[in-house]
Structure formats: C-alpha cells, structure tokens
C-alpha cells in the first residue's frame, strides 16, 4: 500500500492556521487605515511613489514617503490573509476526501476466492510483509560463532544489549532479522546487527549497535563502517540507525524506544 500522508496534511493545516492567526492579528492593526493605495514605479533607476486618482498619478514627495508605508503594509497583509484563508479551505476540503486506504480496500473487500485470482494494482501490506520475510534472511554472518544470548523470539545474539534491543523490536511487533547480508558494493559485503521492516514506509531499516564505543580500535573500525554506509547511499535516520554505549554510558533504553518509534514503526 502507498504511504498515507494524512498526518502530513494535518501538520500542514496546523502551520497554515498558525500563520492565519498571526495574520488576523496583523489585520486588526490596519482596520482603520483609509482605503488608499500607494504604488511604486521605477524611472531612470529611481523608485517613485504615487497614488492613482481618477486614472491620474499623484506623485509623493520623498520626505512624505514614510507616512504612506502603512498603506503598502496593509495591502500586503490583506493579500496574505486572503491566500491563507484559501489554503486553509483547500487543505480542509482535500483532507476530507483523502482516503488512500480505499485503493487497497477494493481488493481486500473481495472474498477469498476473488482475491486468489485478482492481482491488485498496489501490493497489500500482507503481501509486502510476506515478500520481505521470504527475501530477508538472518544469521548470515559466518565469521563468528553463534551468540550466547537468547531473545524472547528464540534467536541467539552476541551481546546482552543486542538481546535487549531485539526484545524491544519484538515488543513493538516489528518484523526483523539478526545479522542479514547487505551488499554495499560489488566487493563489499557486510552484516548489520539488525534489519527491520517499516511497513508504514515500505522500507528496510538497518540498525547497528556499537557496544564498545570507548575502545579506540573498535571505534575506529566502526567509524570506517559508517563511511562505507554513507558512500553506498545510506543515511542516518533514513535507512540506517545507530545506537551505542560505553563503560561510562551504558545502554539507554529510553533512547532505544525513541529511535524505534521515530524510525521503525
């Protein structure tokens, strides 16, 4: 299913309404300003201010210009206010009729027999999850022996912190695998700690936990790995997430949950 952007519409509407509230306050300042309009033209590289009276221009003396800027500001505020009102109405109307889920509902509302025959125009969540599960395999890192820490889901990982993180993935109902194979280039294959499926965004998030960040050699090695990710087009917060700890700063559970909610759910 394609991404539902209704939350973005609501956020945008809130921004427009905040500006509209500010605009309405500004409009009050100019309610008693006479309905006079000031225009500006450029002649020989010099700007000239004038009024249009009965189709004729009445130019203003340079010393009087500052007394007329309120008319220009008033005209600007009115234009902005009209536009903001129009945008607010447009977003409200669009949001009222916006239902991207309806695209999949047509297929999902058919009975099982019809669904077995029909190929939907957009892959359903169940189809996407099933395909991801069949294509994404864990425990691909054969350079190390099997881990000693067993997660609630039953797999073995190499550290207590990885076990805690995996258990939080499980608690949030996320599909994930431990140490999948990831090909960054033709001659560079790595094994991230986790691959997580973000169903809402239809993407795979790779998660690396750096458990000994205060160890110089370990930190240098993982700094190079970060550069390899960046060269391959992976960016933090988009498709790669890092968590870390040291002897002085152990695993921060609140930070783990925050990152899961922000990037994986």
């Amino acid at each position: 299913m394609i991404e539902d952007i209704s939350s973005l519409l609501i956020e945008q509407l809130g921004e427009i309404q905040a500006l509209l509230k500010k605009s309405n306050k500004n409009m009050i300042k100019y309610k008693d300003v006479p309905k006079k309009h000031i225009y500006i033209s450029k002649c020989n590289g010099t700007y000239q201010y004038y009024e249009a009276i009965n189709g004729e221009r009445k130019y203003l003396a340079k010393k009087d210009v500052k007394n007329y800027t309120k008319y220009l500001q008033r005209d600007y505020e009115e234009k902005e206010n009209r536009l903001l009102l129009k945008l607010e109405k447009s977003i409200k109307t669009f949001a009222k009729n916006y239902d991207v889920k309806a695209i999949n509902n047509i297929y999902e509302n058919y009975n099982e027999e019809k669904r077995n025959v029909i190929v939907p125009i957009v892959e359903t969540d169940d189809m996407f999850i099933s395909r991801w599960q069949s294509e994404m395999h864990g425990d691909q890192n054969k350079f190390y022996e099997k881990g000693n820490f067993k997660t609630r889901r039953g797999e073995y990982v190499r550290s207590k912190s990885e076990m805690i993180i995996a258990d939080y993935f499980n608690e949030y109902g996320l599909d994930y695998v431990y140490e999948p194979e990831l090909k960054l280039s033709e001659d560079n294959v790595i094994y991230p700690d986790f691959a997580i499926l973000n169903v809402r965004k239809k993407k795979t998030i790779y998660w690396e936990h750096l458990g000994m960040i205060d160890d110089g050699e370990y930190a240098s090695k993982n700094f190079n790995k970060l550069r390899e990710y960046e060269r391959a087009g992976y960016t933090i917060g988009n498709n790669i997430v890092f968590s870390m700890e040291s002897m002085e700063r152990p695993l921060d559970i609140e930070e783990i949950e925050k990152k899961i909610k922000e990037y994986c759910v």
Side-chain angles (χ1 to χ4, degrees):
M1 184 173 171
I2 61 177
E3 185 178 355
D4 187 341
I5 62 167
S6 54
S7 60
L8 294 177
L9 288 173
I10 294 172
E11 181 181 346
Q12 184 81 92
L13 179 60
E15 292 171 351
I16 294 296
Q17 289 176 330
L19 288 174
L20 186 56
K21 184 177 180 180
K22 182 178 179 180
S23 174
N24 287 336
K25 286 184 178 179
N26 291 345
M27 291 284 287
I28 293 174
K29 300 176 186 177
Y30 299 96
K31 66 176 183 178
D32 296 326
V33 174
K35 291 296 181 181
K36 180 187 291 187
H37 300 286
I38 304 300
Y39 304 92
I40 302 175
S41 63
K42 192 173 185 180
C43 182
N44 297 324
T46 302
Y47 287 106
Q48 298 176 319
Y49 289 66
Y50 66 91
E51 295 179 68
I53 302 175
N54 297 323
E56 295 186 3
R57 295 184 177 187
K58 178 185 176 183
Y59 286 92
L60 308 175
K62 200 168 187 178
K63 62 183 178 64
D64 297 327
V65 165
K66 64 180 181 179
N67 298 322
Y68 291 89
T69 55
K70 60 185 175 182
Y71 299 107
L72 295 170
Q73 185 67 35
R74 187 271 321 280
D75 290 348
Y76 163 78
E77 297 290 352
E78 288 181 347
K79 284 185 177 180
E80 285 287 12
N81 195 263
R82 287 195 297 270
L83 177 60
L84 289 168
L85 284 169
K86 182 179 178 181
L87 288 173
E88 180 190 40
K89 182 178 179 181
S90 297
I91 294 175
K92 282 183 175 180
T93 300
F94 181 75
K96 182 179 179 181
N97 297 293
Y98 175 79
D99 184 13
V100 72
K101 294 178 181 178
I103 296 172
N104 272 67
N105 287 343
I106 294 175
Y107 172 81
E108 292 176 348
N109 288 336
Y110 281 138
N111 60 42
E112 184 179 0
E113 189 64 24
K114 281 188 176 181
R115 291 200 303 271
N116 288 336
V117 175
I118 294 170
V119 177
I121 191 170
V122 177
E123 189 176 45
T124 66
D125 283 352
D126 288 342
M127 289 176 177
F128 179 71
I129 293 170
S130 179
R131 180 168 60 82
W132 188 89
Q133 291 172 338
S134 67
E135 295 174 355
M136 186 66 68
H137 305 290
D139 296 319
Q140 298 300 299
N141 190 348
K142 307 304 181 185
F143 293 98
Y144 301 98
E145 294 182 0
K146 186 177 182 180
N148 296 319
F149 296 86
K150 187 178 181 180
T151 69
R152 292 175 189 168
R153 206 175 68 171
E155 72 244 314
Y156 286 88
V157 297
R158 304 186 196 284
S159 72
K160 183 178 179 180
S161 292
E162 289 180 340
M163 180 189 72
I164 292 171
I165 293 170
D167 286 344
Y168 270 98
F169 293 157
N170 189 61
E171 184 175 322
Y172 277 87
L174 300 175
D175 277 292
Y176 73 90
V177 296
Y178 180 65
E179 291 191 339
E181 181 180 278
L182 177 59
K183 193 173 185 179
L184 294 180
S185 65
E186 286 298 323
D187 56 354
N188 189 7
V189 175
I190 64 171
Y191 303 91
D193 291 327
F194 299 98
I196 307 108
L197 172 61
N198 185 321
V199 178
R200 181 174 60 85
K201 293 186 176 181
K202 290 289 193 296
K203 66 195 299 185
T204 298
I205 306 295
Y206 292 97
W207 187 301
E208 291 277 17
H209 179 67
L210 311 182
M212 299 184 295
I213 201 65
D214 46 356
D215 181 289
E217 184 178 348
Y218 177 89
S220 177
K221 177 183 176 182
N222 281 282
F223 174 75
N224 290 331
K225 181 186 284 188
L226 173 58
R227 294 185 67 181
E228 290 173 2
Y229 273 118
E230 290 180 336
R231 290 193 188 104
Y234 291 83
T235 55
I236 295 175
N238 177 33
N239 43 22
I240 180 73
V241 174
F242 284 86
S243 56
M244 59 190 70
E245 62 180 313
S246 65
M247 291 293 291
E248 294 184 357
R249 300 186 65 179
L251 186 68
D252 187 334
I253 299 301
E254 290 186 0
E255 180 188 358
I256 296 301
E257 285 201 270
K258 180 181 178 182
K259 289 184 175 181
I260 288 174
K261 292 175 182 177
E262 186 171 357
Y263 303 119
C264 304
V265 177

